[in-house]
Amino acid sequence: MEIIRILIFAALFAIVVSLGTALYHLSSGKPDSKKMVRALTIRIVLSLALFFLIMAAWWFGLISPNGYQQ
C-alpha cells in the first residue's frame, strides 16, 4: 500500500509542476503557445493516468474507500 501512496503523491506533484510550467509560459513576456499547450497536455495525460491508477488499485484491493459512516 505504501508504493501506491508514493505513486499517487508523485503523480499529484507532477500535475502541479506541469500546471505551474503552463502558467509560467502563459505569463512570460514572449508568447510561446506550443510550450504552454504541451505542458497542459502533459497535465491532462497525468491526470488520466492518476485516475486509472487509483481505479486499478481499488479494483485489485490495494486501496479501499473510506465512506462516510453514520
Side-chain angles (χ1 to χ4, degrees):
M1 175 152 156
E2 188 65 30
I3 190 71
I4 295 297
R5 183 177 293 187
I6 292 170
L7 286 174
I8 289 172
F9 283 126
L12 286 172
F13 180 73
I15 289 168
V16 170
V17 167
S18 178
L19 192 59
T21 304
L23 178 65
Y24 171 75
H25 290 299
L26 176 68
S27 63
S28 66
K30 53 185 182 234
D32 197 2
S33 63
K34 287 186 180 183
K35 288 183 180 180
M36 184 180 67
V37 169
R38 187 178 324 130
L40 291 175
T41 303
I42 290 171
R43 184 188 65 89
I44 291 170
V45 169
L46 286 171
S47 297
L48 288 173
L50 176 62
F51 174 75
F52 288 122
L53 171 71
I54 291 172
M55 292 307 291
W58 173 70
W59 179 263
F60 292 118
L62 299 174
I63 60 174
S64 62
N66 294 331
Y68 177 70
Q69 311 234 343
Q70 294 183 0

